[in-house]
Amino acid sequence: MSIDPASSTPVFQQIVDHLQRLIASGVFRPGELIPSVRSLALELRVNPNTVQRAYQALERDGVVAARKGVGMVVTDGAAASARDHAHASVLDSFRSGIRSGRAAAMSDHHIRNTFQQALIEPDSESPP
Amino acid sequence: MSIDPASSTPVFQQIVDHLQRLIASGVFRPGELIPSVRSLALELRVNPNTVQRAYQALERDGVVAARKGVGMVVTDGAAASARDHAHASVLDSFRSGIRSGRAAAMSDHHIRNTFQQALIEPDSESPP
Amino acid sequence: MSIDPASSTPVFQQIVDHLQRLIASGVFRPGELIPSVRSLALELRVNPNTVQRAYQALERDGVVAARKGVGMVVTDGAAASARDHAHASVLDSFRSGIRSGRAAAMSDHHIRNTFQQALIEPDSESPP
Amino acid sequence: MSIDPASSTPVFQQIVDHLQRLIASGVFRPGELIPSVRSLALELRVNPNTVQRAYQALERDGVVAARKGVGMVVTDGAAASARDHAHASVLDSFRSGIRSGRAAAMSDHHIRNTFQQALIEPDSESPP
DNA sequence: GTGGTCTAGACCACT
DNA sequence: GTGGTCTAGACCACT
């Protein structure tokens, strides 16, 4: 997991999105603890306040719950809700790309090819 | 053309992207003037300074040139460069969606179906 | 004579400076007419109002005088005053360069070498 | 450091040039913070937006990098790049002075003497 | 505290 | 009318 401090997406939002995906994918399961604010802050090289803010957003969304003296626990319905969250966010990205392409007069054929290219490429990671 | 002031994408960047697409699609052709700072600001209900900032970014990118007392003229190579810009931005959206989906353990099959759904839906416009 | 519309020096000021130099160098002598507003505007591809403004500044400085129905005539003391003007402007440029160099911790030796380089180079014109 | 609000050189550009020189001369070294937007604005009695604009230009030039919540840090290669910037700006001033002098029919001897005068004079500071 | 973005409104040079 | 610069002051994310 990596954060892009230069992105226009706020860092706390990047953290929220990432945890939603980890829950959707089953890395964190209902009843389990997510990392403590401090440990995640250290790992992401981010201020603890920022992680705190992300955790509060997740709590508001009902995917985690605070247990005093213990930590943040993944709630029971979280997996399904996180999957919905992830699906919606994927759909949003695709819609936004399609809208951009059409506005630039790209054909649907061209747009679909561009998607296929992105799906196939070996490594969508960070090529510095 | 519409701006979303609530988006995390800065307003001036939304304007840059939009004009790049309009130039890529041939709505504004080399040698033509793009709308004046003031008129576009009125149309988008945005502060003139914000439009100004977008226009200066477009000038740095070399797709328009300022002519004192006249306006901003689309440069000769602008169409091709704007198409590159548009293609890159579409590709970025798709990559980002694909990365999110995979992080959430969606199968490539599921991801492709989601894309197909976005491509087919009648109205990518205003989904509340 | 050429104008740089992108320079931070206003166009009308560039015209004033240029005419001062032409008078200093004897291209235009006392009693002679300088080009009409219209002809100079055409030659420089500039709006007549801008040339007009430059001429008014020259008139205020006393280097030319308007003669109704005739044009702008170079005044008697103009040559000497234009030479002063030119000398002062050269001195200003050098001072400014020297100040910049010293602020950047360049040695006087280095600064003098840079000057020598500029003095010797074959063509200080416009290498596009 | 002082700003001339009456100069035809924009204030934000004066700030850029000045910081480039301070970095070139080693006053600010790689890894160090330059003054905050607000503090420099106060010191120069200039609007924070104007300083902000200068800082973003410096960031585009790659001599500083923004760190959220911390400040603008001088980058590693900045010193060399700032020295290039300073040298180029000194050379530009000298070229411009030489061009003016020649256009006014000053001899190279006279031009060189003028330079020498500027280099020797005790106080290039505030000539009224 | 830090930088990033935005609104509101002014004055300037230029066409 | 056009773009370019600047002031004044606000709110945001982040440390």
Side-chain angles (χ1 to χ4, degrees):
Chain A
M1 167 168 187
S2 67
I3 254 56
D4 176 7
S7 166
S8 72
T9 304
V11 173
F12 86 91
Q13 187 63 52
Q14 295 181 46
I15 298 173
V16 167
D17 291 344
H18 197 78
L19 284 171
Q20 289 272 20
R21 287 181 223 123
L22 291 178
I23 292 169
S25 70
V27 170
F28 298 123
R29 296 175 188 281
E32 292 181 3
L33 290 169
I34 59 175
S36 75
V37 167
R38 282 180 194 161
S39 67
L40 189 55
L42 275 175
E43 188 188 328
L44 301 181
R45 297 159 147 272
V46 148
N47 192 288
N49 287 331
T50 305
V51 177
Q52 179 69 21
R53 199 172 161 189
Y55 280 15
Q56 284 169 352
L58 287 166
E59 194 177 12
R60 241 191 344 267
D61 292 353
V63 306
V64 298
R67 289 221 193 129
K68 284 180 188 166
V70 179
M72 308 288 289
V73 186
V74 178
T75 58
D76 277 355
S81 124
R83 272 193 295 272
D84 288 352
H85 180 97
H87 184 264
S89 115
V90 170
L91 193 54
D92 272 357
S93 291
F94 290 166
R95 275 177 183 148
S96 151
I98 291 168
R99 212 179 311 125
S100 294
R102 285 184 178 151
M106 284 170 64
S107 68
D108 275 20
H109 181 71
H110 190 179
I111 290 174
R112 186 179 280 109
N113 278 353
T114 303
F115 171 76
Q116 199 60 25
Q117 172 187 349
L119 194 64
I120 289 173
E121 49 186 16
D123 171 38
S124 292
E125 291 299 306
S126 47
Chain B
M1 168 168 188
S2 67
I3 254 56
D4 175 8
S7 165
S8 73
T9 304
V11 174
F12 83 90
Q13 187 63 52
Q14 296 182 44
I15 298 174
V16 167
D17 291 344
H18 196 82
L19 283 171
Q20 289 270 21
R21 286 181 223 123
L22 291 178
I23 291 169
S25 71
V27 171
F28 297 123
R29 300 191 132 78
E32 292 181 3
L33 293 170
I34 60 176
S36 78
V37 170
R38 286 160 174 85
S39 67
L40 189 56
L42 276 174
E43 189 188 326
L44 301 180
R45 297 157 148 277
V46 147
N47 190 282
N49 279 330
T50 304
V51 176
Q52 176 80 7
R53 195 174 167 185
Y55 279 17
Q56 287 177 348
L58 288 168
E59 192 178 17
R60 266 198 311 278
D61 291 352
V63 305
V64 297
R67 282 208 201 145
K68 281 187 186 168
V70 177
M72 310 287 294
V73 189
V74 179
T75 58
D76 277 356
S81 126
R83 272 192 295 271
D84 289 352
H85 181 98
H87 183 263
S89 115
V90 170
L91 194 54
D92 273 357
S93 291
F94 290 167
R95 275 177 181 149
S96 152
I98 291 168
R99 211 179 311 127
S100 294
R102 286 183 176 153
M106 285 170 63
S107 69
D108 275 19
H109 182 72
H110 190 179
I111 291 175
R112 186 180 279 108
N113 278 353
T114 304
F115 171 76
Q116 199 60 24
Q117 171 187 351
L119 193 64
I120 288 172
E121 56 188 6
D123 165 39
S124 292
E125 292 299 307
S126 46
Chain C
M1 167 170 188
S2 67
I3 254 56
D4 176 6
S7 165
S8 72
T9 305
V11 173
F12 87 92
Q13 186 63 52
Q14 295 182 46
I15 298 175
V16 167
D17 290 344
H18 196 78
L19 284 171
Q20 289 272 20
R21 286 181 224 123
L22 291 178
I23 292 169
S25 71
V27 171
F28 297 124
R29 296 175 186 281
E32 290 181 4
L33 290 169
I34 61 175
S36 75
V37 168
R38 282 177 193 163
S39 67
L40 190 55
L42 276 174
E43 188 188 327
L44 301 180
R45 299 159 145 271
V46 148
N47 192 288
N49 287 331
T50 305
V51 177
Q52 179 69 23
R53 199 170 161 190
Y55 280 17
Q56 284 169 352
L58 287 166
E59 194 177 10
R60 244 194 338 271
D61 292 352
V63 305
V64 298
R67 288 221 192 130
K68 283 179 188 164
V70 178
M72 309 286 289
V73 186
V74 178
T75 58
D76 277 355
S81 123
R83 273 191 295 271
D84 289 351
H85 180 99
H87 183 265
S89 114
V90 170
L91 194 54
D92 272 357
S93 292
F94 291 166
R95 276 178 182 146
S96 150
I98 292 168
R99 213 179 310 127
S100 294
R102 286 183 177 151
M106 284 171 64
S107 68
D108 275 19
H109 181 71
H110 190 179
I111 291 174
R112 185 179 279 110
N113 278 353
T114 304
F115 172 76
Q116 199 60 25
Q117 173 187 350
L119 194 64
I120 288 173
E121 50 188 13
D123 171 37
S124 292
E125 291 298 306
S126 46
Chain D
M1 169 166 189
S2 67
I3 253 55
D4 175 9
S7 164
S8 72
T9 305
V11 174
F12 82 90
Q13 186 63 51
Q14 296 180 45
I15 298 174
V16 168
D17 292 343
H18 196 81
L19 283 171
Q20 289 272 21
R21 285 181 224 124
L22 290 178
I23 291 169
S25 70
V27 171
F28 297 123
R29 299 192 134 76
E32 292 180 2
L33 292 171
I34 60 176
S36 79
V37 170
R38 286 160 173 85
S39 68
L40 189 56
L42 276 175
E43 188 189 327
L44 301 181
R45 297 157 147 278
V46 147
N47 191 283
N49 280 329
T50 304
V51 177
Q52 176 79 8
R53 196 174 165 187
Y55 278 18
Q56 287 177 348
L58 287 167
E59 191 178 19
R60 267 199 310 277
D61 291 353
V63 305
V64 297
R67 283 207 202 145
K68 280 186 186 170
V70 177
M72 310 287 293
V73 188
V74 178
T75 58
D76 276 355
S81 127
R83 272 192 295 270
D84 289 351
H85 181 97
H87 183 265
S89 114
V90 170
L91 194 55
D92 273 359
S93 291
F94 289 168
R95 275 178 183 147
S96 151
I98 291 169
R99 210 179 309 125
S100 294
R102 286 183 178 153
M106 284 169 65
S107 68
D108 274 20
H109 181 72
H110 189 180
I111 290 174
R112 185 179 280 110
N113 278 353
T114 304
F115 171 75
Q116 199 60 24
Q117 172 188 349
L119 193 63
I120 289 172
E121 56 187 8
D123 165 42
S124 291
E125 292 299 306
S126 47

